[in-house]
Amino acid sequence: MDHAPAELKHFRSILKEHMNKKGLRSTEQRRLIIETFFGADNHVSIEELLAGVRARDPRIGYATVYRTLKLLAECGVASERRFGDGLTRYELGDDATHHDHLICVQCGAISEFEEPRIEELQERVAKRYGFSVRSHKHELYGVCAVCQTRDRDPRRKVARRTSASLR
């Protein structure tokens, strides 16, 4: 995914400051993992990131990618997301903007959306109950348009029945 150069510069600055505080070095492997993460699609799993990193340096191991992602999450450069499928995914962290997710339970596609009316309603509900919201996640699980179209295709239903009867 293409992120704005200014946005990435901001994240690099946050990371550099965090690493300095922790006394961590910027190794070649760590830099490759970070740059691959910055260039990846949102919602990348460790396995997907590892595959992208290994395409450039096959010597990098799972543990190195895992530790680097944990470092990115620790300083707010990345956010961990779990969408109920057993995988942890990571996306660029951004406190300035907020988005929610639509997750397809058939194909696993994840779409982001922003809806100011939902945000406003959440604030009103919190205020009504005297609640101060610190953060929230809004995830809708269902079937995406592509899967719905595919499910309505009569040729697929025949193929499904035929394969089911062969079992």
Side-chain angles (χ1 to χ4, degrees), residues 39-78:
D41 287 335
N42 264 343
H43 314 112
V44 66
S45 69
I46 294 172
E47 293 78 10
E48 291 165 336
L49 185 60
L50 177 62
V53 167
R54 281 191 173 160
R56 298 196 39 211
D57 185 347
R59 299 170 298 159
I60 296 178
Y62 181 93
T64 306
V65 172
Y66 175 82
R67 284 191 306 271
T68 302
L69 280 172
K70 288 296 185 185
L71 173 68
L72 294 173
E74 184 179 280
C75 68
V77 169

Side-chain angles (χ1 to χ4, degrees), residues 129-148:
Y129 290 94
F131 191 78
S132 175
V133 176
R134 299 283 187 242
S135 69
H136 78 275
K137 294 183 221 174
H138 192 80
E139 299 168 356
L140 300 173
Y141 293 85
V143 181
C144 71
V146 172
C147 289
Q148 289 179 55

Side-chain angles (χ1 to χ4, degrees), residues 54-123:
R54 281 191 173 160
R56 298 196 39 211
D57 185 347
R59 299 170 298 159
I60 296 178
Y62 181 93
T64 306
V65 172
Y66 175 82
R67 284 191 306 271
T68 302
L69 280 172
K70 288 296 185 185
L71 173 68
L72 294 173
E74 184 179 280
C75 68
V77 169
S79 296
E80 288 185 2
R81 299 286 184 226
R82 290 178 184 85
F83 297 115
D85 60 359
L87 289 176
T88 300
R89 292 187 173 80
Y90 295 82
E91 65 182 355
L92 273 177
D94 187 0
D95 292 335
T97 63
H98 174 77
H99 63 266
D100 298 307
H101 298 94
L102 300 168
I103 300 108
C104 181
V105 296
Q106 286 187 4
C107 71
I110 302 167
S111 301
E112 296 177 351
F113 72 95
E114 295 177 28
E115 180 49 65
R117 292 178 296 178
I118 291 174
E119 301 303 314
E120 179 187 324
L121 179 58
Q122 289 172 160
E123 288 300 318

Side-chain angles (χ1 to χ4, degrees), residues 7-20:
E7 180 183 29
L8 295 181
K9 183 178 180 181
H10 169 70
F11 285 126
R12 285 186 184 97
S13 171
I14 291 170
L15 179 60
K16 183 177 179 181
E17 184 179 324
H18 182 76
M19 288 175 61
N20 286 340

